[in-house]
Amino acid sequence: MLDLKFVRDNVDRVARMLQDRRVDMDMGPFLKLDEQRRALLKDVEQLKYERNRASEEIARRKREGLDAEDLIDGMKAVSQRIRDLEAELGAIEDRFRDILMLIPNMPHESVPVGADETANPVVKTWGHPPSFDFEPKAHWDLGEALGILDFERAARMTGARFTLYWGAGAALERALINFMLDVHTMRHGYTEVLPPFMVNRTAMTGTGQLPKFEKDLFKLEGWDYFLVPTAEVPVTNIHMDETLEEDDLPKYYTAYTPCFRSEAGSYGKDTRGLIRQHQFNKVELVKLVKPEQSYDELETLLLNAETILQELGLHYRVVVLCTGDLGFSAAKTYDIEVWLPGQNTYREISSCSNFEDFQARRANIRFRRKGKKKTELVHTLNGSGLAVGRTLVAVLENYQQADGTILIPQALRPYMHGMERITARR
RNA sequence: GGAGAGAUGGCCGAGUCGGCUGAAGGCGCUCGCCUGCUAAGCGAGUGUACUCCGAAAAGGGGUACCGAGGGUUCGAAUCCCUCUCUCUCCGCCA
């Protein structure tokens, strides 16, 4: 959520931002409601002021044993008027708030203006695509042939976009999770947390998934709980409604969670393999920092995520999302795209964003500078460190051998009990 | 699932038969005084949001907030209803 006063004072900038983001939204109703709201608020508060003064007078007279019936009678009408105006005001404030909650974040000045992902500039490339003296296969063929990925049975017990992992496949997924968590906790200074995998509406609103994107979420029937679409939600909301001390910052958290996404609107996209699942594993990095540090922190967050790919020897590139491709809550986002030789393409494997104070304002996460009375909003950041399923895809496709086996990257072998190669399951 | 207790400011905690309680008292914190240093002591201050006045800052006015929402009333932290959460006991359970 943007600051109300900022929006009011910068309507033109906000309107231009909406254009840059290719969001079709008119600020007219917002301004009109704001005006109505403030006029009404003034009236209501004036009436309440009168009522409060009268109440004091009534109390005083009663204490002194005097009659106050005339005042009480007069206040009946005032109170009724207050009730009427408050009902009107309440309706306007609801609509006003609804609009405010649907305005996306202001992109950082360094974010390029562009229509869609084709306008995302590549800012960094690491390593090289591996060369094969055979035609590299896609992971779904490799995984099925090795008997480690089973799409058919998962579809039977659940449905499309779910996968059953077997044997070394399941172990590899688990190894990746542990490897990533170890790197981030032991080398990058993050504190590991294991949050709930379901959260309530308030938490979802705090990080910006609600109210706008409810259709992308899995909701529990009979409960106002949602399955987390990313650990960003429970982890960023750890400090919801808290005022931290300056010395508490920065906070670095890492968490493994499964992620659940309805993938509404992506019918027919990436239907094969592990790329787009309703349930996938992810190790997430979350930072709460002081405002003046957040862009430096974004750079190190990106490097922390990149480290995983480098350790695994996987070729990747980094792009900056342009305004048209930038997520609702983000001010700036880097996507890391890993090379997938089986599909001859780069695929997003991490998304690292600075949300500035957009989430902090919604989730009410503040801090107090030493010796200062006034509290300020923290800046929040997060990034995948990494999407585990897609990392497994990258390992399978990049480390495949001519005979269909998979060489296990050195960094993962300790996590695989020394296993060096995945061969067909008997 | 059954029975009961509770939810007040940064923390602890008081709020009588509804009325000068934004909220006693204590702790903490900030500033000042005092003091070889420290401790103790003394004095003052110490929530948030919205809104109005002010060019702005300073400052000032107002409204709201005692778990959340609704109701009764001229007036609610105090009374009523619904919900949420916490704790205790019983049951069940990984």
Side-chain angles (χ1 to χ4, degrees):
Chain A
M1 183 167 78
L2 293 175
D3 178 53
L4 169 57
K5 290 193 185 77
F6 172 84
V7 178
R8 197 146 63 206
D9 297 343
N10 299 277
V11 186
D12 292 346
R13 282 181 64 188
V14 173
R16 202 174 330 126
M17 172 276 282
L18 291 170
Q19 242 176 25
D20 289 346
R21 278 179 172 271
R22 306 302 192 266
V23 173
D24 184 24
M25 190 171 172
D26 176 16
M27 291 305 288
F30 177 85
L31 291 173
K32 194 154 169 254
L33 282 171
D34 186 36
E35 221 170 285
Q36 290 177 355
R37 180 183 143 265
R38 282 196 282 173
L40 215 46
L41 197 61
K42 211 174 154 181
D43 292 349
V44 171
E45 292 190 349
Q46 175 61 30
L47 288 172
K48 284 187 175 175
Y49 174 70
E50 286 169 25
R51 186 176 71 184
N52 285 346
R53 296 296 82 81
S55 283
E56 284 170 20
E57 176 62 12
I58 292 168
R60 193 186 62 78
R61 286 201 204 168
K62 293 228 162 173
R63 257 197 320 278
E64 294 173 7
L66 300 171
D67 180 69
E69 283 312 309
D70 55 327
L71 268 178
I72 291 176
D73 282 347
M75 282 305 109
K76 283 182 184 169
V78 173
S79 279
Q80 187 52 52
R81 178 92 183 115
I82 290 174
R83 267 193 287 277
D84 293 346
L85 289 181
E86 279 200 318
E88 205 180 322
L89 181 63
I92 287 175
E93 287 197 317
D94 284 350
R95 275 194 288 158
F96 178 73
R97 186 149 193 92
D98 286 350
I99 295 179
L100 191 60
M101 293 298 270
L102 293 178
I103 300 175
N105 201 359
M106 301 291 293
H108 186 253
E109 57 188 15
S110 67
V111 172
V113 174
D116 52 41
E117 71 273 7
T118 59
N120 295 341
V122 176
V123 294
K124 209 188 284 196
T125 303
W126 186 89
H128 301 282
S131 54
F132 296 94
D133 49 14
F134 57 93
E135 189 63 33
K137 292 181 177 139
H139 69 278
W140 49 82
D141 289 331
L142 291 164
E144 280 184 329
L146 291 166
I148 59 174
L149 297 179
D150 188 339
F151 302 105
E152 224 177 287
R153 285 194 176 90
R156 208 188 299 155
M157 73 175 84
T158 308
R161 298 201 189 284
F162 286 90
T163 302
L164 169 67
Y165 292 62
W166 288 93
L172 182 59
E173 180 91 0
R174 182 159 54 90
L176 283 167
I177 293 167
N178 285 332
F179 166 66
M180 292 178 193
L181 286 172
D182 282 354
V183 170
H184 295 314
T185 55
M186 289 154 68
R187 283 168 54 184
H188 298 150
Y190 290 77
T191 301
E192 182 175 352
V193 294
L194 183 63
F197 299 164
M198 300 175 199
V199 299
N200 60 32
R201 190 169 288 277
T202 307
M204 282 292 186
T205 305
T207 33
Q209 281 72 20
L210 290 180
K212 199 171 177 190
F213 305 102
E214 184 153 355
K215 62 176 188 321
D216 296 331
L217 302 171
F218 283 109
K219 170 92 165 49
L220 268 74
E221 191 172 335
W223 297 75
D224 205 22
Y225 293 166
F226 300 84
L227 297 180
V228 296
T230 157
E232 162 194 349
V233 181
V235 177
T236 305
N237 280 293
I238 287 174
H239 295 292
M240 171 200 306
D241 286 327
E242 288 183 23
T243 300
L244 304 166
E245 296 302 325
E246 183 174 12
D247 288 346
D248 295 339
L249 298 176
K251 295 272 194 199
Y252 295 168
Y253 295 127
T254 184
Y256 151 74
T257 71
C259 303
F260 303 92
R261 300 186 181 178
S262 75
E263 293 299 344
S266 64
Y267 305 109
K269 234 198 245 174
D270 305 316
T271 48
R272 293 198 77 182
L274 279 176
I275 292 296
R276 194 171 299 276
Q277 299 275 288
H278 286 310
Q279 174 193 317
F280 62 95
N281 294 311
K282 184 154 59 72
V283 169
E284 186 75 357
L285 304 171
V286 173
K287 291 183 173 185
L288 306 184
V289 307
K290 290 195 272 184
E292 63 271 25
Q293 292 167 349
S294 67
Y295 279 94
D296 288 342
E297 294 282 3
L298 176 61
E299 297 301 319
T300 55
L301 180 68
L302 174 65
L303 290 174
N304 294 155
E306 287 179 49
T307 299
I308 301 295
L309 288 170
Q310 293 175 6
E311 291 289 314
L312 294 174
L314 294 168
H315 166 58
Y316 65 86
R317 65 182 191 185
V318 178
V319 303
V320 185
L321 299 195
C322 70
T323 52
D325 199 25
L326 191 63
F328 176 78
S329 303
K332 181 168 186 175
T333 299
Y334 290 111
D335 272 5
I336 304 177
E337 300 179 338
V338 70
W339 175 250
L340 298 182
Q343 298 161 63
N344 199 37
T345 186
Y346 290 96
R347 287 309 297 243
E348 175 191 340
I349 197 165
S350 172
S351 197
C352 300
S353 306
N354 184 359
F355 302 89
E356 299 189 0
D357 62 11
F358 190 85
Q359 294 181 326
R361 185 171 295 107
R362 288 171 163 241
N364 191 28
I365 309 170
R366 302 172 169 276
F367 78 103
R368 194 187 317 271
R369 292 187 196 272
K370 267 197 286 254
K372 287 268 170 39
K373 253 173 60 177
K374 198 80 186 151
T375 60
E376 296 174 47
L377 295 164
V378 303
H379 278 195
T380 62
L381 303 92
N382 69 56
S384 343
L386 307 162
V388 181
R390 288 186 179 184
T391 309
L392 183 134
V393 166
V395 169
L396 295 187
E397 295 196 6
N398 282 279
Y399 284 89
Q400 61 180 301
Q401 306 298 305
D403 62 0
T405 62
I406 311 293
L407 218 52
I408 296 174
Q410 283 292 345
L412 291 178
R413 292 184 187 173
Y415 294 90
M416 296 285 286
H417 307 295
M419 187 189 285
E420 293 174 9
R421 182 186 294 270
I422 297 176
T423 53
R425 196 172 60 90
R426 294 182 296 118

